[in-house]
């Protein structure tokens, strides 16, 4: 009650929304998928050079697929092709085309990195910082994240920008969709402390009580309220970090290229502490540049958007990237989950250019710490990407944008296709072993038809397919050791080679488990199961053993069934399938082992581990400090007058409508308050939904804070 009285004085003179600047509204309407965009500007077109590059990729993919398909046909044609063998051949062609397409992009990336040229939008990455004049908003959406760590990363980036001398050109917005009331108030308290440390002029906080459309709705809400005041926005994730130097160069690139709507950086993984996250960090750092350089080489201005660590022209985004709500029920209908691909496609449809710039450094992110956390995030992405089936027929999309959508869909559909390929191959072997063959088919024949396959040729086809998967890793290694700075950053070529070998081995063991988990996710989504919006687990990756046993029992059982079926045919077949079977049988121990923390970098060390960038060091230093202890949302507000005044001042005015939909949590909270005699009663009786309703209603919150702190006698 004392805190409430102390809060009244500053509250009377405080602005209505002390956490936010004056609004600058900008219209952003949902686009039409059944009607092409009205292009009022000269669209960016592909030149002759880009056409030749794309011919190289697609002709090469077709030739590799035809060659592999012909070899596979030679394997199964001996003695005639059965129905199962025909299905096996068809699946092989689809999967080989997928592998060959990635291989051709990797080949292109190899030559791009050898020549050390920027394949798409040229940006000076080494010279003195260019002069910029544009106003840019830095947007950091958050959803039930650890406020202390979020503020540490935010402060590190603010300080990095200030060090460039262009701090006044940037405003920072923490856009909260947090639903947990304790985390919400903790965010506000941490934000107040951050504003004291960095200055209040350019730091803003907005909590959204309506989480419509999740992250894309969060960004769209900001655009419609504040977008007109800025030229560009850089969208971050809660785990993102970017160096000030990188941010300034991106803004300058947008100023120099008025036809460009979006520039996507290649985030480098940092702060990996477990074996699983170190594996991803190493693979992304070694192989990632090769893949992204190859993609940027043939994408040109028809690139894609990954949803974070990218700069976007607000004019283009507001006019063209308003997302419609898809028809039908979840999981395919409703708000678009994987919004980034679609937003890029819609802006490209209107003639704007979308670029990937892999040469730009200073962009960082974190990854899930364990196999199960990765699978949980992957489940949400799977649903979002499969939703793109409804976006593919949209009118007027550029064909490369449709290919991006298809690639996203294929990245998940290929998992059940690989599983089906294995099962069909196994069924074919079981059929040959247990079903009596028809040596003399109907009709006249002097000689019997012997059911057989060519095992030697099959081994060659298998080796060639594995070569398409492994050769890009070796090419990435050759490029890396050919660059002195990179070689030094990784602490020597031999250490990198050892890391490549270990990563390939561990990834091969984990791949079958991921195949089963992704196949399960696809089947659940097709059956109509929505993934929801779960909080991403970060940190050390420690998992409860019961959770590991429960979630990885399925892959283990699949491995057991496959091994029994293979052994029932022959021991050689079991040995042939051993890479898949072994990975599945070891799913549970692998899930536990890879979630353990590593005390030393080992062979998976990267330059960002050996010599962390300044912004990463600063963020980790700030995160390592002890966070302010929270006593719960209501108790914290009752004890902290400044926090209470800021919280009350940041709330929207209560609606004056007499009639409308009933807010059930608010109604039950109001009824309960009438029977509470103390703050302790409220804390004991209210659930999280009711507590959140209280925090969103200043009138009810004041009534509760006027109650005495102690409980009934």
């Amino acid at each position: 009650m004392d805190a409430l009285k102390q809060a009244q004085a500053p509250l009377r003179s405080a602005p209505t929304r002390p956490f936010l600047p004056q609004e600058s509204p900008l219209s952003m309407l949902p686009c039409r998928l059944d009607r092409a965009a009205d292009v009022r500007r000269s669209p960016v077109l592909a030149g002759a050079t880009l056409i030749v590059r794309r011919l190289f990729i697609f002709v090469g993919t077709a030739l590799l697929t035809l060659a592999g398909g012909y070899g596979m046909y030679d394997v199964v044609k001996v003695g005639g092709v059965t129905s199962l063998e025909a299905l096996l051949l068809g699946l092989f062609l689809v999967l080989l085309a997928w592998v060959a397409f990635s291989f051709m992009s990797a080949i292109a990336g190899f030559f791009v990195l050898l020549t050390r040229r920027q394949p798409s939008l040229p940006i000076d990455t080494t010279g003195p910082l260019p002069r910029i004049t544009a106003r840019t908003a830095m947007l950091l959406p958050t959803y039930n994240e650890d406020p202390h760590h979020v503020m540490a990363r935010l402060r590190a980036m603010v300080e990095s920008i200030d060090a460039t001398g262009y701090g006044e050109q940037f405003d920072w917005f923490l856009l909260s969709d947090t639903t947990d009331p304790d985390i919400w108030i903790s965010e506000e308290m941490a934000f107040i402390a951050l504003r004291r440390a960095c200055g209040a002029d350019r730091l803003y906080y907005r909590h959204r009580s309506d989480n419509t459309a999740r992250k894309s709705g969060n960004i769209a809400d900001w655009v419609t309220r504040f977008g007109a005041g800025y030229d560009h926005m850089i969208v971050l994730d809660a785990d993102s970090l970017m160096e000030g130097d990188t941010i300034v160069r991106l803004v300058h690139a947008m100023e120099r290229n008025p036809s460009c709507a979006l520039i996507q950086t290649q985030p480098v993984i940092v702060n990996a502490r477990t074996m699983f996250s170190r594996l991803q960090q190493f693979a992304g750092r070694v192989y990632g540049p090769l893949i992204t350089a190859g993609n940027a080489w043939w994408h040109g201005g028809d690139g894609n958007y990954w949803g974070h660590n990218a700069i976007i022209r607000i004019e283009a985004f507001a006019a063209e990237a308003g997302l419609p709500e898809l028809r039908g029920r979840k999981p395919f209908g409703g708000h678009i989950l994987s919004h980034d691909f679609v937003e890029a496609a819609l802006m490209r449809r209107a003639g704007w250019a979308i670029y990937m710039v892999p040469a730009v450094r200073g962009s960082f992110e974190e990854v899930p710490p364990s196999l199960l956390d990765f699978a949980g995030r992957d489940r949400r992405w799977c649903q979002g990407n499969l939703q793109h089936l409804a976006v593919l027929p949209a009118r007027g999309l550029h064909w490369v944008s449709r290919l991006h959508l298809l690639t996203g869909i294929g990245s998940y559909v290929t998992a059940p296709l690989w599983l089906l390929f294995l099962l069909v191959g196994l069924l074919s072997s079981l059929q040959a072993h247990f079903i009596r063959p028809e040596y003399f088919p109907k009709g006249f024949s002097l000689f019997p038809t012997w059911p057989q396959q060519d095992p030697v040729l099959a081994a060659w086809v298998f080796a060639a397919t594995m070569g398409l998967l492994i050769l890009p890793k070796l090419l990435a290694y050759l490029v890396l050791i050919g660059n002195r700075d990179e070689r030094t950053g990784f602490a020597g070529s031999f250490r990198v080679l050892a890391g490549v070998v270990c990563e390939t081995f561990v990834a091969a063991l984990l791949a079958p488990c991921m195949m089963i988990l992704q196949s399960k996710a696809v089947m659940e989504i097709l059956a109509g199961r929505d993934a929801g919006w779960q909080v991403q687990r970060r940190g050390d990756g420690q998992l409860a053993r019961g959770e590991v046993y429960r979630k990885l029992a399925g892959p283990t059982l699949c491995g057991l069934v496959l091994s029994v079926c293979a052994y029932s045919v022959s021991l050689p077949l079991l040995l042939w399938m051993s890479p898949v079977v072994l990975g599945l049988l070891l799913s549970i121990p692998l899930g536990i082992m890879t979630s353990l923390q590593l005390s030393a970098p080992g062979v998976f060390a990267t330059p960002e581990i050996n010599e962390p960038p300044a912004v990463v060091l600063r963020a980790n230093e700030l995160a390592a400090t002890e966070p302010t202890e929270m006593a719960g949302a209501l108790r914290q507000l009752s004890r902290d007058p400044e926090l209470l005044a800021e919280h009350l001042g940041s709330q929207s005015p209560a609606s004056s409508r007499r009639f409308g939909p009933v807010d059930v949590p608010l109604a039950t909270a109001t009824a309960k308050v009438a029977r509470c005699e103390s703050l302790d009663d409220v804390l004991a009786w209210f659930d999280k939904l009711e507590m959140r309703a209280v925090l969103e209603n200043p009138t009810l919150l004041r009534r509760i804070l006027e109650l005495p702190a102690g409980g009934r006698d």
Side-chain angles (χ1 to χ4, degrees):
M1 187 171 178
D2 293 338
L4 183 62
K5 292 179 179 178
Q6 294 178 46
Q8 299 303 317
L11 186 60
R12 293 190 186 98
S13 58
T16 305
R17 291 183 174 89
F19 283 170
L20 292 170
Q22 183 176 356
E23 293 193 2
S24 302
L26 182 63
S27 175
M28 184 174 178
L29 301 176
C31 71
R32 295 282 299 272
L33 297 181
D34 58 348
R35 187 173 63 194
D38 184 12
V39 181
R40 297 186 177 91
R41 52 191 308 283
S42 299
V44 176
L45 302 175
T49 301
L50 194 56
I51 293 174
V52 172
R53 292 177 180 181
R54 290 170 177 174
L55 284 174
F56 170 80
I57 297 295
F58 291 106
V59 171
T61 298
L63 291 176
L64 288 173
T65 304
L66 290 174
Y70 184 77
M72 189 65 176
Y73 176 70
D74 279 345
V75 172
V76 300
K77 75 176 183 180
V78 182
V81 180
T82 67
S83 299
L84 279 177
E85 289 172 338
L87 178 58
L88 188 72
L89 179 59
L91 289 169
F92 180 78
L93 284 172
V94 173
L95 294 169
L96 181 61
W98 179 262
V99 173
F101 181 59
S102 300
F103 176 79
M104 291 304 300
S105 289
I107 291 292
F110 174 69
F111 289 106
V112 167
L113 295 181
L114 277 184
T115 58
R116 300 189 183 182
R117 294 180 179 177
Q118 296 194 36
S120 54
L121 187 69
I123 298 179
D124 181 12
T125 59
T126 57
L129 275 183
R131 183 174 178 272
I132 60 172
T133 59
R135 296 277 299 160
T136 302
M138 305 292 297
L139 309 184
L140 200 165
T142 181
Y143 175 74
N144 291 328
E145 298 278 350
D146 182 337
H148 180 66
H149 288 86
V150 170
M151 299 302 168
R153 288 187 281 267
L154 183 55
R155 180 174 175 181
M157 288 187 284
V158 171
E159 293 176 353
S160 184
I161 278 287
D162 288 342
T164 67
Y166 289 107
E168 295 300 323
Q169 302 296 119
F170 297 86
D171 285 352
W172 300 79
F173 289 82
L174 182 63
L175 305 178
S176 173
D177 260 347
T178 292
T179 56
D180 187 296
D182 291 337
I183 297 178
W184 175 10
I185 298 305
S186 183
E187 281 176 356
E188 292 187 349
M189 186 168 65
F191 176 75
I192 292 171
L194 176 65
R195 205 163 51 169
R196 290 198 197 107
C198 297
D201 293 342
R202 296 176 291 107
L203 280 167
Y204 304 106
Y205 172 86
R206 190 268 287 126
H207 179 266
R208 190 170 68 131
S209 58
D210 180 7
N211 304 133
T212 301
R214 306 181 184 183
K215 181 179 176 180
S216 62
N218 199 351
I219 299 298
D221 174 80
W222 179 88
V223 170
T224 57
R225 294 178 63 186
F226 306 101
Y230 302 91
D231 301 291
H232 314 119
M233 61 182 180
I234 292 182
V235 179
L236 305 165
D237 266 352
D239 60 359
S240 295
L241 278 169
M242 293 184 74
E243 291 180 341
D245 184 281
T246 300
I247 293 170
V248 170
R249 294 182 190 278
L250 288 175
V251 173
H252 182 250
M254 293 292 279
E255 291 179 339
R256 288 184 56 192
N257 297 274
S259 63
C260 177
L262 186 148
I263 301 176
Q264 175 67 64
T265 66
Q266 180 193 355
V268 172
I269 298 171
V270 294
N271 292 332
R273 299 177 180 87
T274 65
M275 182 179 179
F276 184 83
S277 56
R278 286 276 173 84
L279 194 74
Q280 295 179 80
Q281 184 178 39
F282 179 84
R285 190 63 174 80
V286 177
Y287 318 135
L290 188 82
I291 297 168
T292 52
N295 287 336
W297 181 75
W298 69 269
H299 286 173
D302 307 322
N304 206 359
Y305 173 37
W306 295 346
H308 62 280
N309 292 38
I311 185 168
I312 304 173
R313 191 178 304 277
I314 293 179
E315 172 195 353
F317 189 83
E320 309 298 341
L323 298 183
E325 188 170 348
L326 300 178
R327 294 179 180 177
R329 301 173 61 183
K330 294 181 180 181
F332 291 108
H335 298 289
I336 297 175
L337 301 182
S338 292
H339 55 92
D340 38 16
F341 281 38
V342 181
E343 289 162 347
L346 293 175
M347 288 187 285
R348 185 65 191 91
R349 179 175 75 166
W352 294 93
I354 311 292
Y355 287 102
M356 161 69 71
V357 286
V360 173
R361 300 294 178 89
S363 176
F364 310 101
E365 65 176 345
E366 296 181 8
V367 290
S370 72
L371 175 64
L372 292 184
D373 293 314
F374 182 86
R377 185 185 70 174
D378 211 47
R379 171 66 172 78
R380 297 191 299 274
W381 288 0
C382 179
Q383 180 175 332
N385 284 17
L386 292 182
Q387 264 190 326
H388 293 165
L389 289 167
V391 182
L392 273 175
R395 297 282 300 276
L397 293 185
H398 193 280
W399 69 268
V400 177
S401 297
R402 293 190 201 274
L403 186 60
H404 292 321
L405 296 173
L406 277 172
T407 303
I409 295 167
S411 62
Y412 293 98
V413 173
T414 49
L417 290 182
W418 277 114
L419 179 59
L420 185 59
F421 177 76
L422 290 173
L423 294 177
V424 170
L426 184 58
L427 286 174
S428 181
S429 299
L430 289 170
Q431 181 188 55
H433 186 74
F434 289 107
I435 299 178
R436 183 177 180 178
E438 189 69 41
Y439 292 103
F440 293 93
K442 294 180 180 180
F444 178 76
S445 178
L446 291 175
F447 302 99
T449 300
W450 302 100
Q452 56 182 313
Q453 295 177 352
D454 189 333
V456 176
L457 186 56
W460 278 108
V461 172
F462 174 78
T465 305
M466 290 300 101
L468 294 180
L469 293 170
I470 295 175
L471 185 57
K473 296 188 176 187
L474 298 179
L475 295 178
Y477 171 73
L478 292 177
V479 169
L480 190 151
I481 64 174
N483 186 316
R484 182 179 179 181
D485 293 339
E486 288 287 275
R487 188 171 65 247
T488 303
F490 276 91
S493 56
F494 179 78
R495 190 173 186 176
V496 182
L497 181 60
V500 169
V501 172
C502 292
E503 185 277 334
T504 302
F505 176 73
V506 178
L509 288 176
L510 291 172
C513 181
M514 284 304 304
M515 175 186 67
I516 298 297
L517 293 175
Q518 286 186 337
S519 300
K520 178 175 177 284
V522 171
M523 289 185 287
E524 287 177 347
I525 292 165
L526 293 178
R529 182 176 173 184
D530 182 26
W533 195 9
Q534 305 299 322
V535 180
Q536 184 169 312
R537 179 163 48 191
R538 308 189 192 277
D540 60 7
Q542 291 295 320
L543 299 171
R545 294 295 174 91
E547 181 183 7
V548 177
Y549 298 151
R550 185 178 69 257
K551 293 185 177 180
L552 296 184
T556 305
L557 182 60
C558 289
L560 184 61
V561 172
L562 287 176
S563 60
V564 170
C565 292
Y567 183 73
S568 66
V569 176
S570 67
L571 181 60
L573 180 61
L574 177 60
L575 295 176
W576 182 266
M577 295 185 64
S578 60
V580 174
V581 169
L582 187 62
L584 293 175
L585 291 176
L586 295 177
S587 293
I588 291 176
L590 282 172
I592 295 173
M593 290 174 57
T594 55
S595 66
L596 300 177
Q597 288 198 63
L598 296 179
S599 56
V603 295
F604 294 147
T606 65
E608 288 70 33
I609 293 177
N610 296 330
E611 191 174 348
V615 70
V616 176
L617 276 176
R618 180 57 175 158
N620 291 343
E621 175 190 350
L622 293 168
T625 60
E626 288 294 326
T628 303
E629 185 177 354
M630 274 287 294
L634 291 181
R635 288 202 186 279
Q636 197 66 39
L637 288 171
S638 68
R639 297 173 182 177
D640 191 333
E642 181 184 359
L643 175 63
L644 177 59
E646 295 278 20
H647 176 79
L648 292 172
S650 67
Q651 299 303 298
S652 301
S655 173
S656 58
R657 292 181 304 169
R658 293 181 58 192
F659 303 103
V662 176
D663 185 336
V664 175
L666 180 60
T668 56
T670 304
K672 286 182 178 181
V673 166
R675 301 182 61 186
C676 289
E677 298 180 4
S678 69
L679 187 59
D680 287 346
D681 292 343
V682 173
L683 297 175
W685 202 4
F686 280 43
D687 61 26
K688 284 188 178 293
L689 288 177
E690 292 163 346
M691 194 72 72
R692 181 180 171 186
V694 168
L695 295 177
E696 292 171 353
N697 189 287
T699 303
L700 189 58
L701 177 60
R702 288 188 179 96
R703 285 179 57 189
I704 290 176
L705 294 181
E706 288 173 351
L707 295 171
R712 295 186 177 100
D713 294 335

